[in-house]
């Protein structure tokens, strides 16, 4: 059984800036082996003009407090532009790992997405 319990919050000190945070306690019992860890993120979302969002995110993950592996850290930057009704484009640049896997070396990653919806 896997469980995650945590807290999250959002604070907006100005109309164009939103701050997000989340922290979770991870509980995992797989085949009789139990582990406890944590995962979370901090994010700043700045909207300099309506429809254009610039985001910076830092994430951490430690899937097992009892091992000697350090927490995985990842950072990312995002440009999100709502360019038309029902259409947006998003560019992400990341440095880290895709999963909370100890011993995996961080690498640079990127992704471009175009969303359209009804």
């Amino acid at each position: 059984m896997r469980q995650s319990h945590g807290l999250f919050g959002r604070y907006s000190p100005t109309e164009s800036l939103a701050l997000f945070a989340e922290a979770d306690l991870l509980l995992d019992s797989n085949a009789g082996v139990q582990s406890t860890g944590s995962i979370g993120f901090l994010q700043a979302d700045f909207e300099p003009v309506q429809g254009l969002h610039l985001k910076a995110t830092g994430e951490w993950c430690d899937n097992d407090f009892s091992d000697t592996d350090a927490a995985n850290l990842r950072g990312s930057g995002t440009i999100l532009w709502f360019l038309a009704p029902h259409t947006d484009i998003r560019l992400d640049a990341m440095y880290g790992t895709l999963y909370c896997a100890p011993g995996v070396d961080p690498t640079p990653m990127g992704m471009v997405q175009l969303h359209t919806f009804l």
Side-chain angles (χ1 to χ4, degrees), residues 46-89:
F46 178 62
E47 187 180 28
V49 296
Q50 186 173 2
L52 178 65
H53 291 259
L54 308 175
K55 298 181 181 188
T57 306
E59 301 173 76
W60 79 88
C61 178
D62 187 346
N63 63 348
D64 191 352
F65 293 147
S66 65
D67 63 21
T68 58
D69 296 321
N72 290 32
L73 302 175
R74 179 167 72 177
S76 63
T78 301
I79 300 171
L80 178 59
W81 180 30
F82 295 89
L83 58 117
H86 306 283
T87 305
D88 64 79
I89 189 166

Side-chain angles (χ1 to χ4, degrees), residues 20-34:
F20 303 91
E22 181 175 343
D24 296 300
L25 182 66
L26 304 175
L27 305 171
D28 192 358
S29 63
N30 185 7
V33 177
Q34 295 188 9

